[in-house]
Amino acid sequence: MDLYGALRPLIFRLDPETAHNLTFWMGARACAWPWLPKPALPASLRCQALGLSFPTPLGLAAGLDKGATLLPLWKSLGFGHVEVGTVTPRPQPGNPKPRIFRFPEAGLILNRMGFNSEGAEVVAARLRRRPAGLVVGGNLGKNKETPEADALNDYRAAYRLIAPQVDYIALNVSSPNTPGLRNLQAPEALKPLLAGMLDLRKEMGLERQPLLLKLAPDLAPEDLDAIVEVAVAAGISGLIATNTTLDRGVVQEPLRAFVESKGAGGLSGVPLKDKARQVRQRILAALAGRLPLVACGGLGSAADVQGALDDGAALAQVYSALIFEGPSLVGRIHQGLAEHPRSH
Ligand SMILES: Cc1cc2nc3c(=O)[nH]c(=O)nc-3n(C[C@H](O)[C@H](O)[C@H](O)COP(=O)(O)O)c2cc1C
């Protein structure tokens, strides 16, 4: 059994945020070790996407390392990329606690963190010391108190600080925990947002840096089609699908009532899997190869990741499965992918 497996019963007895802080404290100690192991990744996992070279298509989704504090550890575990954030331009505390709930028997997480962020300046300073050999993305959001009408200013402020330090940027317009944020996915709101961000990218001489958009799984199929057309017409670099879902219908009874009793927030993990895959398949059909897609949502095994790649995704990201299964998940997924007869 690995260390996480041994500690798991203890970790899962703690309240989730205490467990998170404890594992991050241990992770930070591990990052300081000079003998942090180098990942041994099969060469067959190497892939190109978004104009970048990845040691593996598997990455860590946004929200776990919001402040870029454990990058050497993620690299050592074998992730090919890490999406840091969501980072807001100014620091903010996020929602009151408790704001994260685990349901291990269902592989489900409910969270309403609400973008707790140290702010773009602090995270950018940390990113300046990022390790080589790991693709790092910066996932950006707006501050809670910023009116929707001024959202572009917030994304631009965070971009100015974070973009020069990372390999790609993801615009998060899909968190359910910042009031009004998801309205930015509407085509009339999305067009000026993307145009404004692409203008800034050009102004900063970062035209070659990929700019992606992260979408929610709760959009109607026709809305997805419309968003795809806006994204392609604007000239952004790719899409990430999906973020967490507000749909309690993905959880079976009797657990659903228990989940509902915990209040607001987005659901992730196993119960999101089918819904996220349907959304991705719709997006991939609408894209027809015009832009790359990063798969996220309910992925927890080599078969899940391979399924997403076979559907046409360029890369895949995990979050919830890592919480439930621990770091050994990464090696298991890689082993399964390497055994798969097709190239990635
Ligand atoms: C506790 C928690 C916090 C998250 N925070 C963010 C975030 O700040 N930004 C973001 O884009 N996604 C965030 N996510 C969503 C994940 O990146 C991912 O899209 C979602 O959890 C689905 O993947 P999964 O089923 O593998 O967890 C968060 C997810 C969880 C569970």
Side-chain angles (χ1 to χ4, degrees):
M1 197 194 281
D2 61 13
L3 182 63
Y4 192 86
L7 292 176
R8 195 175 178 275
L10 168 72
I11 292 171
F12 275 67
R13 223 171 295 142
L14 298 171
D15 117 85
E17 238 176 291
T18 309
H20 172 91
N21 294 338
L22 180 67
T23 41
F24 264 59
W25 182 85
M26 291 192 295
R29 308 276 91 63
C31 284
W33 291 347
W35 57 86
L36 201 63
K38 287 199 172 54
L41 294 173
S44 64
L45 295 180
R46 284 218 139 267
C47 62
Q48 303 285 324
L50 302 164
L52 301 168
S53 185
F54 294 78
T56 155
L58 184 65
L60 179 63
L64 187 54
D65 198 354
K66 289 179 189 275
T69 51
L70 296 185
L71 296 179
L73 182 67
W74 309 127
K75 182 185 166 191
S76 172
L77 293 181
F79 282 111
H81 73 280
V82 173
E83 198 167 302
V84 161
T86 293
V87 184
T88 55
R90 294 166 300 286
Q92 63 174 31
N95 287 326
K97 296 173 190 173
R99 52 192 180 175
I100 176 161
F101 305 88
R102 293 169 311 218
F103 306 89
E105 63 287 1
L108 168 68
I109 295 177
L110 162 66
N111 97 81
R112 51 171 173 272
M113 300 297 289
F115 293 169
N116 50 313
S117 174
E118 295 172 280
E121 216 169 287
V122 170
V123 180
R126 220 174 267 133
L127 282 165
R128 272 180 216 118
R129 301 187 299 274
R130 54 179 276 197
L134 174 73
V135 174
V136 178
N139 176 305
L140 309 182
K142 74 168 194 70
N143 282 101
K144 186 180 179 183
E145 76 274 12
T146 302
E148 248 171 273
D150 299 336
L152 175 60
N153 289 338
D154 264 20
Y155 285 96
R156 285 169 69 102
Y159 187 95
R160 278 196 190 89
L161 291 162
I162 300 293
Q165 312 302 334
V166 294
D167 301 302
Y168 75 86
I169 288 287
L171 303 177
N172 182 5
V173 288
S174 49
S175 166
N177 302 315
T178 294
L181 191 83
R182 286 181 165 201
N183 297 340
L184 296 170
Q185 294 175 119
E188 6 10 304
L190 201 50
K191 279 180 204 165
L193 177 70
L194 298 184
M197 296 309 294
L198 288 167
D199 280 352
L200 177 60
R201 183 173 78 164
K202 190 164 177 212
E203 209 177 282
M204 292 177 65
L206 293 170
E207 289 98 326
R208 294 176 60 157
Q209 182 182 75
L211 181 73
L212 287 83
L213 185 68
K214 183 165 177 181
L215 299 173
D218 301 324
L219 294 155
E222 313 77 57
D223 295 339
L224 291 171
D225 296 346
I227 290 169
V228 163
E229 293 314 316
V230 171
V232 171
I236 62 163
S237 322
L239 299 171
I240 306 174
T242 71
N243 212 312
T244 57
T245 182
L246 284 171
D247 180 4
R248 286 352 187 209
V250 300
V251 187
Q252 304 296 313
E253 290 291 8
L255 182 62
R256 189 192 301 175
F258 186 50
V259 171
E260 278 171 350
S261 76
K262 300 293 181 193
L267 304 179
S268 59
V270 176
L272 172 60
K273 182 165 129 174
D274 290 344
K275 187 179 179 109
R277 188 171 195 188
Q278 281 162 22
V279 166
R280 281 197 301 272
Q281 287 173 337
R282 179 80 184 206
I283 294 173
L284 284 161
L287 280 172
R290 291 177 291 171
L291 292 178
L293 176 79
V294 180
C296 185
L299 304 176
S301 68
D304 291 345
V305 171
Q306 190 62 59
L309 299 175
D310 289 345
D311 285 345
L315 299 165
Q317 298 180 332
V318 294
Y319 185 149
S320 300
L322 182 71
I323 303 303
F324 293 115
E325 298 194 31
S328 60
L329 172 76
V330 182
R332 269 200 307 283
I333 291 180
H334 284 151
Q335 201 180 345
L337 292 181
E339 282 163 9
H340 193 272
R342 268 194 258 165
S343 60
H344 311 292

